[in-house]
Amino acid sequence: MVRRIDVTGAGGVRLAAWEFAEPPKDRPFVPAQARTHRHHPQRPEGAERLQEPPDPPGPPDTDGPAGGVLLLHGLMGRAAHWASTARWLSERHRAVALDQRGHGQSEKPPRAAHTREAYVEDAEAAVEQLGLGPAVVIGHAMGALTAWQLAAKRPDLVRALVICDMRASALGAASQREWEDWFKTWPTPFATLADVRRWFGADDPWVERPHPARGAFYAEVMHEVADGWRPVFDPEHMLASRETWVYDAHWDELAQVRCPALVVRGLDGELGRAEAQEMVRVLPRGQYAEVSDAGHLVHYDQPEAWRTVIEPFLDTVLTPNAPDTPEHP
């Protein structure tokens, strides 16, 4: 079962959070901390493309366990990309995926509102308003940067991190220009979702060889409008979000993360092995894992292998009375 919960982010921006849960048979589970927010029941079969359902009569009055897992997608992503991960997590833990500002079904504020501080404050608000803290925060790409910046800022809210395929080094102006040029190559509007899958999975100049999972990933972030299929986000907002981190390195914030942290890379992803291992060294309680036959979209491209490398770490940090991971000397 998937259910929507509205969260109020930085500057009053409305954010859509999606909780994956197995509720009691007599009534659905709703965290006490979220009772003041609207809850949107969701059909289980709709998890792959999370669509906003009609408002229910009202939230039930029941409590749930504190703590849980917050999942943060990357740039241009959405909460639905975590569906596979969230399903198996929800068998044992609370699992909530957030549509970050400008993404998915969350509000699309003006370009100037897509700051690093706002993204981090949004994640902070989600943990607090949903009663997830201290949470394990799992982030992919931009979401991973948000996760470790949150952990550095509010160690009381984060018990552990999973950092998936995100670099700590500065990427520079050339990288930003490449993205600006790439957006211009998109043949929008797409006539059909099949065209979306084909272009991003094979025809995109950034694709070296056919990649069906990549096509499916981008099909998830399209919606049908009057002239065809277009992204649910504004590309200018994505560029604005990106320019807030590409020019700077983020090693200092990484060093401030005191909780256990697992750095995961796809063997063919954007995070190289040497940099990933340096990130582990800088993290006071860092660990390393990699997934073979995976690129940047590790969790989406190879969900079973992804689960294999992160589940032991999660079992350790989410099991009551488990011994702490030792800090680096």
Side-chain angles (χ1 to χ4, degrees), residues 41-105:
Q42 176 67 30
R43 296 190 303 274
E45 64 271 19
E48 279 68 24
R49 293 189 64 82
L50 298 178
Q51 303 295 330
E52 184 171 0
D55 287 340
D61 184 19
T62 183
D63 292 341
V69 182
L70 179 67
L71 299 134
L72 299 176
H73 60 74
L75 189 71
M76 301 184 295
R78 65 181 304 176
H81 286 144
W82 290 113
S84 174
T85 299
R87 284 196 192 96
W88 61 261
L89 279 171
S90 67
E91 295 173 2
R92 297 172 58 190
H93 314 288
R94 284 189 64 199
V96 178
L98 182 68
D99 275 337
Q100 297 180 77
R101 62 177 50 218
H103 296 74
Q105 292 188 26

Side-chain angles (χ1 to χ4, degrees), residues 41 54 68 70 76 96 103 121 139 156 168 183 186 233 240 254 295 306 327:
L70 179 67
M76 301 184 295
V96 178
H103 296 74
E121 289 175 16
D156 57 309
F183 275 125
W186 289 24
F233 50 78
L254 204 64
W306 160 255
E327 296 194 15

Side-chain angles (χ1 to χ4, degrees):
M1 181 176 182
V2 185
R3 155 175 77 256
R4 172 175 168 162
I5 310 172
D6 279 358
V7 171
T8 302
V13 171
R14 180 191 56 77
L15 306 171
W18 302 89
E19 181 161 9
F20 293 72
E22 292 296 331
K25 293 182 179 179
D26 57 339
R27 56 183 179 176
F29 163 76
V30 179
Q33 294 85 346
R35 288 180 192 164
T36 58
H37 299 274
R38 291 191 307 155
H39 292 67
H40 303 258
Q42 176 67 30
R43 296 190 303 274
E45 64 271 19
E48 279 68 24
R49 293 189 64 82
L50 298 178
Q51 303 295 330
E52 184 171 0
D55 287 340
D61 184 19
T62 183
D63 292 341
V69 182
L70 179 67
L71 299 134
L72 299 176
H73 60 74
L75 189 71
M76 301 184 295
R78 65 181 304 176
H81 286 144
W82 290 113
S84 174
T85 299
R87 284 196 192 96
W88 61 261
L89 279 171
S90 67
E91 295 173 2
R92 297 172 58 190
H93 314 288
R94 284 189 64 199
V96 178
L98 182 68
D99 275 337
Q100 297 180 77
R101 62 177 50 218
H103 296 74
Q105 292 188 26
S106 286
E107 187 177 345
K108 312 300 189 289
R111 193 181 198 275
H114 292 75
T115 65
R116 271 288 82 216
E117 293 77 15
Y119 276 106
V120 174
E121 289 175 16
D122 288 348
E124 183 178 358
V127 173
E128 291 183 326
Q129 292 174 31
L130 301 179
L132 292 171
V136 173
V137 185
I138 301 176
H140 173 245
M142 179 190 73
L145 175 59
T146 299
W148 87 61
Q149 289 179 327
L150 173 64
K153 176 186 178 184
R154 291 291 305 273
D156 57 309
L157 293 183
V158 183
R159 75 168 71 183
L161 293 177
V162 177
I163 297 168
C164 180
D165 217 64
M166 180 60 186
R167 300 183 61 183
S169 298
L171 302 181
S175 174
Q176 188 71 355
R177 287 194 300 270
E178 287 176 1
W179 273 70
E180 291 171 356
D181 292 341
W182 177 56
F183 275 125
K184 295 174 184 177
T185 69
W186 289 24
T188 51
F190 295 92
T192 67
L193 276 180
D195 291 330
V196 174
R197 295 186 185 98
R198 181 170 55 253
W199 195 82
F200 287 101
D203 298 341
D204 182 348
W206 281 15
V207 176
E208 296 180 356
R209 57 184 182 275
H211 196 324
R214 187 175 187 268
F217 182 94
Y218 281 97
E220 290 276 4
V221 296
M222 299 289 163
H223 64 158
E224 190 172 18
V225 292
D227 60 352
W229 291 83
R230 293 182 179 273
V232 298
F233 50 78
D234 183 335
E236 283 299 315
H237 292 170
M238 300 300 99
L239 290 172
S241 298
R242 195 173 187 273
E243 71 185 7
T244 63
W245 87 74
V246 296
Y247 301 115
D248 300 312
H250 305 282
W251 295 100
D252 289 346
E253 293 154 306
L254 204 64
Q256 295 170 30
V257 174
R258 310 307 299 179
C259 63
L262 177 67
V263 177
V264 183
R265 62 178 291 269
L267 199 61
D268 298 317
E270 297 180 7
L271 175 61
R273 180 179 287 127
E275 183 171 352
Q277 292 178 342
E278 179 63 11
M279 290 169 66
V280 171
R281 189 193 69 78
V282 169
L283 284 160
R285 303 171 70 181
Q287 301 178 47
Y288 174 81
E290 66 181 37
V291 179
S292 59
D293 299 321
H296 179 58
L297 308 176
V298 183
H299 62 295
Y300 194 86
D301 192 9
Q302 298 290 343
E304 291 303 319
W306 160 255
R307 178 175 181 174
T308 297
V309 301
I310 72 164
E311 192 168 28
F313 173 79
L314 296 177
D315 285 345
T316 299
V317 299
L318 285 169
T319 300
N321 303 319
D324 287 340
T325 305
E327 296 194 15
H328 294 324

